[in-house]
Structure formats: C-alpha cells, structure tokens
Amino acid sequence: MAATANLSILLRSYANKQGSAFINRRDFCDYMKRYAERHVEENADLVRYLGNPEDMVVAELEKLEKQHLVALLEQSADKHVIVVLSYYAAKFAQRYKEISFNAAVLFPSLTDLPKQLPIDAIEKRTLADLFAKQDLKSLKLLCIQLQNDTPSILFPECVPIHILTDAALAKIRTMLKKEEYHDYFYKKLRNANPGKEITSKTFFEQFITRPETALQAMETSGDSFYFWNQLCHFIRKDFEKIKDSTLEDTNLLQSIAVSEQHLMLVKNKMQQERQKNGALKNLEESLDKPPYFYSMNSILKFTNQKGVQLYGQYSDNDLKNFLEALTTKSEGGQLPRLLVFKVKSGTRYFIYKTKVFPLVVRLCNEAHDTIKNNLTDEWFKVLQAYEKRPEMHDKQKFEEMLKAYVEKISPVLHALLNANFLTLLDIELQSSIEGGDFKLFSNGRLLPYTELLMLDNAAILANAKILLPFWYLIPIVSQIIGFFRRKPKKQQAQEEKTADDMTKKSLRPVTKHDAIVQAAKTLESHYVPENSTIDRELDSYEKQWNKLITKDAHAQLTEDVNALIRDYMRKVIRTISAQTFTVERVESLARSLVKNPNMQKITDQNALYMYVQLYILRLVGNG
C-alpha cells in the first residue's frame, strides 16, 4: 500500500495491529515518527511528523474528535489514550454481514462498547438523516436514535442503509414464523379489520413467505401499508409489556422501530414523488396554453387549478431535467417537442413545436393591423408636411422597413421568423395537419414580409392620401403650398424630441387609487410580451374565444363578457389594495369569472381565461 499521511487511516491501521481500539498516545506518536522517517521520500506530507510529532498529532486528533472519528481519554497526567472509533465501525460492519445471513444475530448497541468510552463520542443520527445523506466511504460509527424510547442501534456509515432495514424486516418475519406468534398476531390483525379478512390474510402470509413482494405492496398499496402499521403496533405494544425483557425482545423492538420509520420515509418519499410528477404534468399542460411561448421567469410562476404555485413542488434540478428532456429528445430525426428561441433583448422563450406556426399566424395578424394603422397615420403626417419616403414607392425599401418594424413592435415574431429551427419545422410539418394551411416558405425560402403580413405599400399610401384635404391631390397647388410650409429638418427633430420628453413625464401615485392603478401597470409586463400592448393582446385573445362570424353577434358577445367582468370587479375592487393586487390575485379573480355558467358556454376556455386576466388589468389600470 502506498504511504499515506491521513492520520485517521493510520490510526485505524495501528489499532488493528494492536488488536484494540484503545491506544497510548505517546506510543502512537513514536510510531508516527518512525513511519514518517521510513516513508517521507514516498509522501512529502509526512515531513510534519519528523522530529517531535506530538504537537502536530495532538492538533489533528482534536480535529478528528470533533468529527466523531476518535475519542480522547486522559487516564492520568502522564497517560493519554486514543479510542479509535473506526476500529469498532469495522468490527460492527462484520456483525451486519453476519445478520444478513442469520437474523438471530443481535444488532450492535451501546452496551457492546466499553464502559469507559463516553457515549457523546459517538455521532447521533436519525434514520431519516441517514436516508437523506449517507457517505459509504466514511469511517464513522453512528448511533441511530429510534422512536418510542427504543434503545439505539450502532451502525457503521460505510454499511448501506438497506442492509439495516432488510435485517429489521427479516427479524420480524422470523418471529412471526414461530408457531406461538403466527396465529396470535394474525388473529389480532384479522379482528381489527372486519370485512377485510381475505386481504389482511393475503398481506400477512405474503409478508412471511414472499418478503420482496410484500415490501413492494406496502410501498404502493394503501391497504397493505395500513395493515403493516397495525401489525407493527400490535407487536410493539405486546413486547413493551414484557417486564423482564431479554436481549432478543429488545432486538425485536428495535426491528419494529426501524421498519416503521423506514416504511414511513418510503411512503413520504413516494407521496413527494407523486406530487412532483403531478406538478410536472401540470407544467407540461401549462406550456400548451396561450400565449404558448414562455420565458423561464413565467414558467417559475405557473400555478395549478387551485392557484398553488408549481415551483416548489419540484426542485430546480427537476425543472432543469424536465425542460432538458423536452428540448433535446427527439424521435425519427425530428425536432424535439419543445423548442427554444431568443429575442434581441436576450430573453429565452420555450414553445411547443406544434404551436410555432399557429403563433406565427396570430402574431402576423396582430402585426398586420398594428403596422397598417401606424404606417397609415405616419405616412399621412409625412404627406401632410408635403414630404415623401422611399418606402412609399420602392418595394425593396418597403420590405426592409417592414423587417425593422416587426423587430421593434413584435420581437417574438421577429425571433421566430429568424429562428434556425423554422426551416426544419416547415419541412417536418408539410405533411402534417399541425402545420395548418398558412405557408411560411416558398421553394425553401422564407416568404417576404409583405406576404407574411399581407401589406402593400401602394395600398397603405392610398389610405393615407384619402385622409388628406382635396387640394393636396392637385399637383400644382400642393407643390406651391408645400414649398412654403416645409419645416427645416433641425426644427422637425427638435419638435419630435420635445414631444417625446412630454410623453415620458408621469406623476407618482399619492393615493390608494393611484397605487392600485400603478400596480396594474406593473403587472402588465407579466402578461404582455415585449413591445406589444395590452390592447393588442386583448384583441388577439378575443378573436380566439369569440368565434361568432356576424359583426353584430360578435360585438354583442364581447360586450356581454366585458359587462360581466366589469360588474364583478365593481363588487371586489374595494377588497383590493396595491400590495394584494398580484399575479396570483388576478388569476384567482379570472378563475372565479370563467366558472360563471354563462362563461362556461364559450368553447376556448384557455383563451377566455387569458382575456379575462388582461381585461381586469386594463379596467384597474385605467382607473
């Protein structure tokens, strides 16, 4: 074995050679000096033990004592004793091997240690602590504390915990096989469960004859777990009544305590696992709801139907693994189910691939209306000032302007149209109904923005001209007037800057009303994507849940829903403060509204739910 400078290992080796855990400190220091002299060339760290190593050894022993690896005894002024606890750890590890072959062998207990060894020297742990974290490379000897004042068990940490729990069940099983106990405890179990005689008998016999199947049943079946708790209770109560108990009786009580605690921990772990899986299932379903694209910040705020936040029911690592699986695993060379894209600001969004094309269609429709209206107003002002823009007549300039416009007002649409997965997704969905009828590509190339947005510069220019007074359309007159009315470019820039400064000015809320309005404005960022508006989002979701074709019927249904929301908010607005007006409160109010019988008649409940939340924000935000 290579030379080591690890004092804990050297202590254990020295104790094994001496055949005792109790070693004289002075003798060990002499040993360390000789060991260092022989092996210092192999391991330079041993140089600290050359010369007089006592001070160095004492300092390290004090550290090992704090770690419960040794105990230090002072028998006299000149005699100091080191108790090497790892010596007993190795000894009792061998005992557990014997128990695995013979259930009659007793568990190690504190009475197996020398009386002069302080009990506090042994590190105390609960079974739950050991299940949560166990270091199988550790040399520690642990004292496992049990419930119901049951005597503790000594357990080396290097022994896998399942060996202890398996041994406990084996001891109980061995006892129940004995004739005097078998019928006695079976009758107790049967009498305590009238009407369940067959299932209780099946459990009892299965536990005795097929231990692995019985353990699995106890972990998964509610009845089996209930029977097991009853059986342990009966055994414990009977053996606790014994006045002159033997070591075997104590050993059985220890087995009951270990088994009860073990099965309860397993049961709790399985419940937590089911809760985690349920929360991840809700997360998976939430990603499939409008608006279909979610940032990590939004994902962390997902709630279940009862309004309980999902994050917390699973860990950061669970969420990471879940999203990683959805974004990396694919079948048959296809794209993963969940795709990731990033907008210019750096925010990353997740979206199911089946929702990409429908979302692009929706965003294109929104952008169509917004850009058309904005350009009409903008070009009207340009024409009114007797000026022109290149994009009014140049198709290529108009296409470039549309790209810049989309990037500014709809970063999500711009990011999707430029995502590296879009071409592959188009090929994958060509023969699938999930792709829809809307085509984004022609001959492998993305369609021009003019076609995607269904915008034409000539049509927009014509709409802008219609708004002008008639004399603007008379060439000679408009040229003469324009010559005198055009403003210098510096003056135009200054006026635009002044207008922007005036727009940016705002007043701080000083009343409860103003504070609530400000809170609503703040919450908009949670619901409204970058560079979009709450009105645009409302219009988008309205088109999804309001499928009525005729204009009057469509408008009437929307007004009925809006009126219902307004009436409800008038009743609850007094109970709302700026501090309590949170995302969770908005979601709660929206859930209450969509449960209204009239609301339930609307087919697309997801889009309606989002619409109601946005409408509540607009109502409160507008004061």
Side-chain angles (χ1 to χ4, degrees), residues 303-332:
T303 59
N304 60 19
Q305 293 180 347
K306 296 180 180 179
V308 179
Q309 193 166 359
L310 299 179
Y311 179 64
Q313 298 180 53
Y314 45 73
S315 66
D316 286 332
N317 199 46
D318 293 330
L319 178 60
K320 178 184 176 182
N321 292 338
F322 174 80
L323 293 176
E324 185 176 344
L326 284 178
T327 54
T328 56
K329 291 183 180 179
S330 60
E331 296 180 1

PDB file of all heavy atoms in Angstrom, residues 303-332:
ATOM      1  N   THR A 303     -49.083  28.050 -11.909  1.00  0.00           N
ATOM      2  CA  THR A 303     -49.849  27.519 -10.786  1.00  0.00           C
ATOM      3  C   THR A 303     -50.765  26.399 -11.283  1.00  0.00           C
ATOM      4  O   THR A 303     -51.032  26.289 -12.484  1.00  0.00           O
ATOM      5  CB  THR A 303     -50.706  28.608 -10.125  1.00  0.00           C
ATOM      6  OG1 THR A 303     -51.613  29.165 -11.103  1.00  0.00           O
ATOM      7  CG2 THR A 303     -49.829  29.725  -9.562  1.00  0.00           C
ATOM      8  N   ASN A 304     -51.261  25.584 -10.348  1.00  0.00           N
ATOM      9  CA  ASN A 304     -52.235  24.554 -10.724  1.00  0.00           C
ATOM     10  C   ASN A 304     -53.643  25.135 -10.685  1.00  0.00           C
ATOM     11  O   ASN A 304     -53.825  26.343 -10.483  1.00  0.00           O
ATOM     12  CB  ASN A 304     -52.111  23.324  -9.819  1.00  0.00           C
ATOM     13  CG  ASN A 304     -52.349  23.662  -8.349  1.00  0.00           C
ATOM     14  OD1 ASN A 304     -52.933  24.697  -8.005  1.00  0.00           O
ATOM     15  ND2 ASN A 304     -51.916  22.781  -7.461  1.00  0.00           N
ATOM     16  N   GLN A 305     -54.658  24.306 -10.844  1.00  0.00           N
ATOM     17  CA  GLN A 305     -56.033  24.780 -10.909  1.00  0.00           C
ATOM     18  C   GLN A 305     -56.495  25.415  -9.602  1.00  0.00           C
ATOM     19  O   GLN A 305     -57.417  26.222  -9.591  1.00  0.00           O
ATOM     20  CB  GLN A 305     -56.963  23.616 -11.278  1.00  0.00           C
ATOM     21  CG  GLN A 305     -56.749  23.105 -12.700  1.00  0.00           C
ATOM     22  CD  GLN A 305     -57.668  21.951 -13.045  1.00  0.00           C
ATOM     23  OE1 GLN A 305     -58.290  21.367 -12.173  1.00  0.00           O
ATOM     24  NE2 GLN A 305     -57.752  21.635 -14.327  1.00  0.00           N
ATOM     25  N   LYS A 306     -55.835  25.047  -8.504  1.00  0.00           N
ATOM     26  CA  LYS A 306     -56.199  25.621  -7.209  1.00  0.00           C
ATOM     27  C   LYS A 306     -55.411  26.888  -6.899  1.00  0.00           C
ATOM     28  O   LYS A 306     -55.571  27.468  -5.832  1.00  0.00           O
ATOM     29  CB  LYS A 306     -55.968  24.586  -6.106  1.00  0.00           C
ATOM     30  CG  LYS A 306     -56.856  23.351  -6.231  1.00  0.00           C
ATOM     31  CD  LYS A 306     -56.575  22.372  -5.100  1.00  0.00           C
ATOM     32  CE  LYS A 306     -57.463  21.148  -5.214  1.00  0.00           C
ATOM     33  NZ  LYS A 306     -57.176  20.163  -4.130  1.00  0.00           N
ATOM     34  N   GLY A 307     -54.580  27.306  -7.823  1.00  0.00           N
ATOM     35  CA  GLY A 307     -53.795  28.518  -7.617  1.00  0.00           C
ATOM     36  C   GLY A 307     -52.503  28.299  -6.852  1.00  0.00           C
ATOM     37  O   GLY A 307     -51.822  29.260  -6.498  1.00  0.00           O
ATOM     38  N   VAL A 308     -52.148  27.032  -6.575  1.00  0.00           N
ATOM     39  CA  VAL A 308     -50.912  26.721  -5.852  1.00  0.00           C
ATOM     40  C   VAL A 308     -49.741  26.723  -6.832  1.00  0.00           C
ATOM     41  O   VAL A 308     -49.812  26.119  -7.898  1.00  0.00           O
ATOM     42  CB  VAL A 308     -51.005  25.343  -5.160  1.00  0.00           C
ATOM     43  CG1 VAL A 308     -49.703  25.023  -4.432  1.00  0.00           C
ATOM     44  CG2 VAL A 308     -52.183  25.318  -4.200  1.00  0.00           C
ATOM     45  N   GLN A 309     -48.677  27.425  -6.468  1.00  0.00           N
ATOM     46  CA  GLN A 309     -47.523  27.541  -7.365  1.00  0.00           C
ATOM     47  C   GLN A 309     -46.861  26.175  -7.560  1.00  0.00           C
ATOM     48  O   GLN A 309     -46.648  25.426  -6.605  1.00  0.00           O
ATOM     49  CB  GLN A 309     -46.508  28.527  -6.787  1.00  0.00           C
ATOM     50  CG  GLN A 309     -45.448  28.957  -7.778  1.00  0.00           C
ATOM     51  CD  GLN A 309     -44.684  30.174  -7.298  1.00  0.00           C
ATOM     52  OE1 GLN A 309     -44.956  30.712  -6.247  1.00  0.00           O
ATOM     53  NE2 GLN A 309     -43.718  30.606  -8.076  1.00  0.00           N
ATOM     54  N   LEU A 310     -46.562  25.850  -8.823  1.00  0.00           N
ATOM     55  CA  LEU A 310     -45.957  24.555  -9.143  1.00  0.00           C
ATOM     56  C   LEU A 310     -44.501  24.497  -8.698  1.00  0.00           C
ATOM     57  O   LEU A 310     -44.047  23.481  -8.185  1.00  0.00           O
ATOM     58  CB  LEU A 310     -46.057  24.284 -10.647  1.00  0.00           C
ATOM     59  CG  LEU A 310     -47.465  24.204 -11.237  1.00  0.00           C
ATOM     60  CD1 LEU A 310     -47.394  23.949 -12.736  1.00  0.00           C
ATOM     61  CD2 LEU A 310     -48.276  23.112 -10.558  1.00  0.00           C
ATOM     62  N   TYR A 311     -43.787  25.606  -8.894  1.00  0.00           N
ATOM     63  CA  TYR A 311     -42.384  25.642  -8.493  1.00  0.00           C
ATOM     64  C   TYR A 311     -42.316  25.567  -6.962  1.00  0.00           C
ATOM     65  O   TYR A 311     -42.930  26.350  -6.256  1.00  0.00           O
ATOM     66  CB  TYR A 311     -41.728  26.929  -8.982  1.00  0.00           C
ATOM     67  CG  TYR A 311     -40.282  27.057  -8.599  1.00  0.00           C
ATOM     68  CD1 TYR A 311     -39.339  26.163  -9.081  1.00  0.00           C
ATOM     69  CD2 TYR A 311     -39.851  28.081  -7.756  1.00  0.00           C
ATOM     70  CE1 TYR A 311     -38.003  26.287  -8.742  1.00  0.00           C
ATOM     71  CE2 TYR A 311     -38.519  28.208  -7.404  1.00  0.00           C
ATOM     72  CZ  TYR A 311     -37.601  27.310  -7.905  1.00  0.00           C
ATOM     73  OH  TYR A 311     -36.274  27.417  -7.556  1.00  0.00           O
ATOM     74  N   GLY A 312     -41.583  24.621  -6.477  1.00  0.00           N
ATOM     75  CA  GLY A 312     -41.573  24.329  -5.050  1.00  0.00           C
ATOM     76  C   GLY A 312     -42.043  22.904  -4.819  1.00  0.00           C
ATOM     77  O   GLY A 312     -41.609  22.237  -3.875  1.00  0.00           O
ATOM     78  N   GLN A 313     -42.944  22.446  -5.713  1.00  0.00           N
ATOM     79  CA  GLN A 313     -43.343  21.038  -5.673  1.00  0.00           C
ATOM     80  C   GLN A 313     -42.324  20.186  -6.433  1.00  0.00           C
ATOM     81  O   GLN A 313     -42.350  18.964  -6.351  1.00  0.00           O
ATOM     82  CB  GLN A 313     -44.740  20.863  -6.270  1.00  0.00           C
ATOM     83  CG  GLN A 313     -45.818  21.617  -5.509  1.00  0.00           C
ATOM     84  CD  GLN A 313     -47.194  21.416  -6.120  1.00  0.00           C
ATOM     85  OE1 GLN A 313     -47.632  20.294  -6.323  1.00  0.00           O
ATOM     86  NE2 GLN A 313     -47.878  22.510  -6.418  1.00  0.00           N
ATOM     87  N   TYR A 314     -41.474  20.851  -7.199  1.00  0.00           N
ATOM     88  CA  TYR A 314     -40.328  20.194  -7.817  1.00  0.00           C
ATOM     89  C   TYR A 314     -39.131  21.118  -7.644  1.00  0.00           C
ATOM     90  O   TYR A 314     -39.266  22.327  -7.447  1.00  0.00           O
ATOM     91  CB  TYR A 314     -40.565  19.877  -9.296  1.00  0.00           C
ATOM     92  CG  TYR A 314     -41.178  20.999 -10.098  1.00  0.00           C
ATOM     93  CD1 TYR A 314     -40.446  22.134 -10.445  1.00  0.00           C
ATOM     94  CD2 TYR A 314     -42.497  20.924 -10.525  1.00  0.00           C
ATOM     95  CE1 TYR A 314     -41.002  23.153 -11.177  1.00  0.00           C
ATOM     96  CE2 TYR A 314     -43.068  21.948 -11.256  1.00  0.00           C
ATOM     97  CZ  TYR A 314     -42.311  23.051 -11.584  1.00  0.00           C
ATOM     98  OH  TYR A 314     -42.868  24.071 -12.320  1.00  0.00           O
ATOM     99  N   SER A 315     -37.943  20.551  -7.676  1.00  0.00           N
ATOM    100  CA  SER A 315     -36.719  21.310  -7.417  1.00  0.00           C
ATOM    101  C   SER A 315     -36.190  21.962  -8.692  1.00  0.00           C
ATOM    102  O   SER A 315     -36.683  21.699  -9.797  1.00  0.00           O
ATOM    103  CB  SER A 315     -35.645  20.382  -6.837  1.00  0.00           C
ATOM    104  OG  SER A 315     -35.262  19.415  -7.805  1.00  0.00           O
ATOM    105  N   ASP A 316     -35.176  22.805  -8.526  1.00  0.00           N
ATOM    106  CA  ASP A 316     -34.510  23.420  -9.685  1.00  0.00           C
ATOM    107  C   ASP A 316     -33.958  22.336 -10.610  1.00  0.00           C
ATOM    108  O   ASP A 316     -34.051  22.451 -11.834  1.00  0.00           O
ATOM    109  CB  ASP A 316     -33.356  24.319  -9.219  1.00  0.00           C
ATOM    110  CG  ASP A 316     -33.853  25.613  -8.597  1.00  0.00           C
ATOM    111  OD1 ASP A 316     -34.947  26.068  -8.974  1.00  0.00           O
ATOM    112  OD2 ASP A 316     -33.152  26.156  -7.733  1.00  0.00           O
ATOM    113  N   ASN A 317     -33.398  21.301  -9.995  1.00  0.00           N
ATOM    114  CA  ASN A 317     -32.817  20.222 -10.787  1.00  0.00           C
ATOM    115  C   ASN A 317     -33.890  19.441 -11.544  1.00  0.00           C
ATOM    116  O   ASN A 317     -33.699  19.048 -12.693  1.00  0.00           O
ATOM    117  CB  ASN A 317     -32.030  19.278  -9.879  1.00  0.00           C
ATOM    118  CG  ASN A 317     -31.043  18.423 -10.642  1.00  0.00           C
ATOM    119  OD1 ASN A 317     -30.310  18.913 -11.495  1.00  0.00           O
ATOM    120  ND2 ASN A 317     -31.032  17.137 -10.362  1.00  0.00           N
ATOM    121  N   ASP A 318     -35.056  19.233 -10.884  1.00  0.00           N
ATOM    122  CA  ASP A 318     -36.174  18.560 -11.551  1.00  0.00           C
ATOM    123  C   ASP A 318     -36.629  19.364 -12.765  1.00  0.00           C
ATOM    124  O   ASP A 318     -36.872  18.797 -13.842  1.00  0.00           O
ATOM    125  CB  ASP A 318     -37.358  18.396 -10.589  1.00  0.00           C
ATOM    126  CG  ASP A 318     -37.052  17.436  -9.455  1.00  0.00           C
ATOM    127  OD1 ASP A 318     -36.246  16.518  -9.676  1.00  0.00           O
ATOM    128  OD2 ASP A 318     -37.602  17.616  -8.355  1.00  0.00           O
ATOM    129  N   LEU A 319     -36.765  20.672 -12.585  1.00  0.00           N
ATOM    130  CA  LEU A 319     -37.201  21.543 -13.680  1.00  0.00           C
ATOM    131  C   LEU A 319     -36.174  21.540 -14.813  1.00  0.00           C
ATOM    132  O   LEU A 319     -36.539  21.457 -15.996  1.00  0.00           O
ATOM    133  CB  LEU A 319     -37.417  22.966 -13.153  1.00  0.00           C
ATOM    134  CG  LEU A 319     -37.841  24.015 -14.183  1.00  0.00           C
ATOM    135  CD1 LEU A 319     -39.163  23.636 -14.847  1.00  0.00           C
ATOM    136  CD2 LEU A 319     -37.958  25.391 -13.534  1.00  0.00           C
ATOM    137  N   LYS A 320     -34.905  21.606 -14.441  1.00  0.00           N
ATOM    138  CA  LYS A 320     -33.838  21.600 -15.455  1.00  0.00           C
ATOM    139  C   LYS A 320     -33.875  20.311 -16.272  1.00  0.00           C
ATOM    140  O   LYS A 320     -33.818  20.343 -17.512  1.00  0.00           O
ATOM    141  CB  LYS A 320     -32.483  21.759 -14.764  1.00  0.00           C
ATOM    142  CG  LYS A 320     -31.301  21.713 -15.718  1.00  0.00           C
ATOM    143  CD  LYS A 320     -29.982  21.776 -14.963  1.00  0.00           C
ATOM    144  CE  LYS A 320     -28.801  21.627 -15.909  1.00  0.00           C
ATOM    145  NZ  LYS A 320     -27.506  21.637 -15.171  1.00  0.00           N
ATOM    146  N   ASN A 321     -33.992  19.173 -15.574  1.00  0.00           N
ATOM    147  CA  ASN A 321     -34.022  17.882 -16.272  1.00  0.00           C
ATOM    148  C   ASN A 321     -35.266  17.745 -17.142  1.00  0.00           C
ATOM    149  O   ASN A 321     -35.208  17.189 -18.248  1.00  0.00           O
ATOM    150  CB  ASN A 321     -33.974  16.742 -15.257  1.00  0.00           C
ATOM    151  CG  ASN A 321     -32.643  16.668 -14.531  1.00  0.00           C
ATOM    152  OD1 ASN A 321     -31.635  17.161 -15.028  1.00  0.00           O
ATOM    153  ND2 ASN A 321     -32.633  16.084 -13.356  1.00  0.00           N
ATOM    154  N   PHE A 322     -36.399  18.238 -16.648  1.00  0.00           N
ATOM    155  CA  PHE A 322     -37.659  18.166 -17.387  1.00  0.00           C
ATOM    156  C   PHE A 322     -37.569  18.962 -18.693  1.00  0.00           C
ATOM    157  O   PHE A 322     -37.897  18.448 -19.772  1.00  0.00           O
ATOM    158  CB  PHE A 322     -38.789  18.715 -16.508  1.00  0.00           C
ATOM    159  CG  PHE A 322     -40.116  18.833 -17.209  1.00  0.00           C
ATOM    160  CD1 PHE A 322     -40.931  17.731 -17.380  1.00  0.00           C
ATOM    161  CD2 PHE A 322     -40.552  20.056 -17.696  1.00  0.00           C
ATOM    162  CE1 PHE A 322     -42.155  17.837 -18.022  1.00  0.00           C
ATOM    163  CE2 PHE A 322     -41.766  20.181 -18.341  1.00  0.00           C
ATOM    164  CZ  PHE A 322     -42.572  19.061 -18.506  1.00  0.00           C
ATOM    165  N   LEU A 323     -37.109  20.205 -18.592  1.00  0.00           N
ATOM    166  CA  LEU A 323     -37.003  21.047 -19.789  1.00  0.00           C
ATOM    167  C   LEU A 323     -35.917  20.525 -20.735  1.00  0.00           C
ATOM    168  O   LEU A 323     -36.068  20.584 -21.958  1.00  0.00           O
ATOM    169  CB  LEU A 323     -36.703  22.495 -19.387  1.00  0.00           C
ATOM    170  CG  LEU A 323     -37.816  23.224 -18.631  1.00  0.00           C
ATOM    171  CD1 LEU A 323     -37.358  24.615 -18.194  1.00  0.00           C
ATOM    172  CD2 LEU A 323     -39.068  23.344 -19.490  1.00  0.00           C
ATOM    173  N   GLU A 324     -34.842  20.008 -20.158  1.00  0.00           N
ATOM    174  CA  GLU A 324     -33.761  19.469 -20.991  1.00  0.00           C
ATOM    175  C   GLU A 324     -34.245  18.273 -21.799  1.00  0.00           C
ATOM    176  O   GLU A 324     -33.900  18.123 -22.973  1.00  0.00           O
ATOM    177  CB  GLU A 324     -32.580  19.073 -20.102  1.00  0.00           C
ATOM    178  CG  GLU A 324     -31.360  18.624 -20.878  1.00  0.00           C
ATOM    179  CD  GLU A 324     -30.168  18.338 -19.993  1.00  0.00           C
ATOM    180  OE1 GLU A 324     -30.171  18.767 -18.822  1.00  0.00           O
ATOM    181  OE2 GLU A 324     -29.229  17.676 -20.479  1.00  0.00           O
ATOM    182  N   ALA A 325     -35.067  17.422 -21.162  1.00  0.00           N
ATOM    183  CA  ALA A 325     -35.595  16.254 -21.869  1.00  0.00           C
ATOM    184  C   ALA A 325     -36.510  16.684 -23.013  1.00  0.00           C
ATOM    185  O   ALA A 325     -36.430  16.149 -24.127  1.00  0.00           O
ATOM    186  CB  ALA A 325     -36.358  15.359 -20.891  1.00  0.00           C
ATOM    187  N   LEU A 326     -37.369  17.674 -22.768  1.00  0.00           N
ATOM    188  CA  LEU A 326     -38.302  18.119 -23.799  1.00  0.00           C
ATOM    189  C   LEU A 326     -37.597  18.852 -24.944  1.00  0.00           C
ATOM    190  O   LEU A 326     -38.073  18.826 -26.079  1.00  0.00           O
ATOM    191  CB  LEU A 326     -39.361  19.040 -23.192  1.00  0.00           C
ATOM    192  CG  LEU A 326     -40.476  18.382 -22.377  1.00  0.00           C
ATOM    193  CD1 LEU A 326     -41.413  19.440 -21.812  1.00  0.00           C
ATOM    194  CD2 LEU A 326     -41.262  17.397 -23.228  1.00  0.00           C
ATOM    195  N   THR A 327     -36.477  19.517 -24.643  1.00  0.00           N
ATOM    196  CA  THR A 327     -35.799  20.312 -25.665  1.00  0.00           C
ATOM    197  C   THR A 327     -34.672  19.566 -26.378  1.00  0.00           C
ATOM    198  O   THR A 327     -34.080  20.114 -27.313  1.00  0.00           O
ATOM    199  CB  THR A 327     -35.206  21.591 -25.041  1.00  0.00           C
ATOM    200  OG1 THR A 327     -34.368  21.242 -23.924  1.00  0.00           O
ATOM    201  CG2 THR A 327     -36.314  22.524 -24.554  1.00  0.00           C
ATOM    202  N   THR A 328     -34.369  18.347 -25.954  1.00  0.00           N
ATOM    203  CA  THR A 328     -33.258  17.613 -26.584  1.00  0.00           C
ATOM    204  C   THR A 328     -33.680  16.264 -27.175  1.00  0.00           C
ATOM    205  O   THR A 328     -33.132  15.843 -28.185  1.00  0.00           O
ATOM    206  CB  THR A 328     -32.121  17.367 -25.565  1.00  0.00           C
ATOM    207  OG1 THR A 328     -32.635  16.668 -24.423  1.00  0.00           O
ATOM    208  CG2 THR A 328     -31.515  18.693 -25.116  1.00  0.00           C
ATOM    209  N   LYS A 329     -34.633  15.592 -26.533  1.00  0.00           N
ATOM    210  CA  LYS A 329     -35.025  14.265 -27.015  1.00  0.00           C
ATOM    211  C   LYS A 329     -35.900  14.374 -28.254  1.00  0.00           C
ATOM    212  O   LYS A 329     -36.827  15.171 -28.303  1.00  0.00           O
ATOM    213  CB  LYS A 329     -35.771  13.502 -25.913  1.00  0.00           C
ATOM    214  CG  LYS A 329     -34.881  13.110 -24.742  1.00  0.00           C
ATOM    215  CD  LYS A 329     -35.662  12.304 -23.721  1.00  0.00           C
ATOM    216  CE  LYS A 329     -34.761  11.907 -22.549  1.00  0.00           C
ATOM    217  NZ  LYS A 329     -35.513  11.140 -21.521  1.00  0.00           N
ATOM    218  N   SER A 330     -35.575  13.576 -29.252  1.00  0.00           N
ATOM    219  CA  SER A 330     -36.358  13.579 -30.489  1.00  0.00           C
ATOM    220  C   SER A 330     -36.494  12.155 -31.005  1.00  0.00           C
ATOM    221  O   SER A 330     -35.722  11.272 -30.624  1.00  0.00           O
ATOM    222  CB  SER A 330     -35.695  14.465 -31.554  1.00  0.00           C
ATOM    223  OG  SER A 330     -34.388  13.993 -31.844  1.00  0.00           O
ATOM    224  N   GLU A 331     -37.446  11.956 -31.869  1.00  0.00           N
ATOM    225  CA  GLU A 331     -37.694  10.634 -32.440  1.00  0.00           C
ATOM    226  C   GLU A 331     -37.665  10.707 -33.963  1.00  0.00           C
ATOM    227  O   GLU A 331     -38.205  11.643 -34.549  1.00  0.00           O
ATOM    228  CB  GLU A 331     -39.055  10.103 -31.974  1.00  0.00           C
ATOM    229  CG  GLU A 331     -39.147   9.880 -30.471  1.00  0.00           C
ATOM    230  CD  GLU A 331     -40.510   9.360 -30.050  1.00  0.00           C
ATOM    231  OE1 GLU A 331     -41.370   9.167 -30.939  1.00  0.00           O
ATOM    232  OE2 GLU A 331     -40.723   9.147 -28.840  1.00  0.00           O
ATOM    233  N   GLY A 332     -37.039   9.719 -34.555  1.00  0.00           N
ATOM    234  CA  GLY A 332     -37.017   9.632 -36.009  1.00  0.00           C
ATOM    235  C   GLY A 332     -36.378  10.815 -36.701  1.00  0.00           C
ATOM    236  O   GLY A 332     -36.769  11.194 -37.805  1.00  0.00           O
TER     237      GLY A 332
END
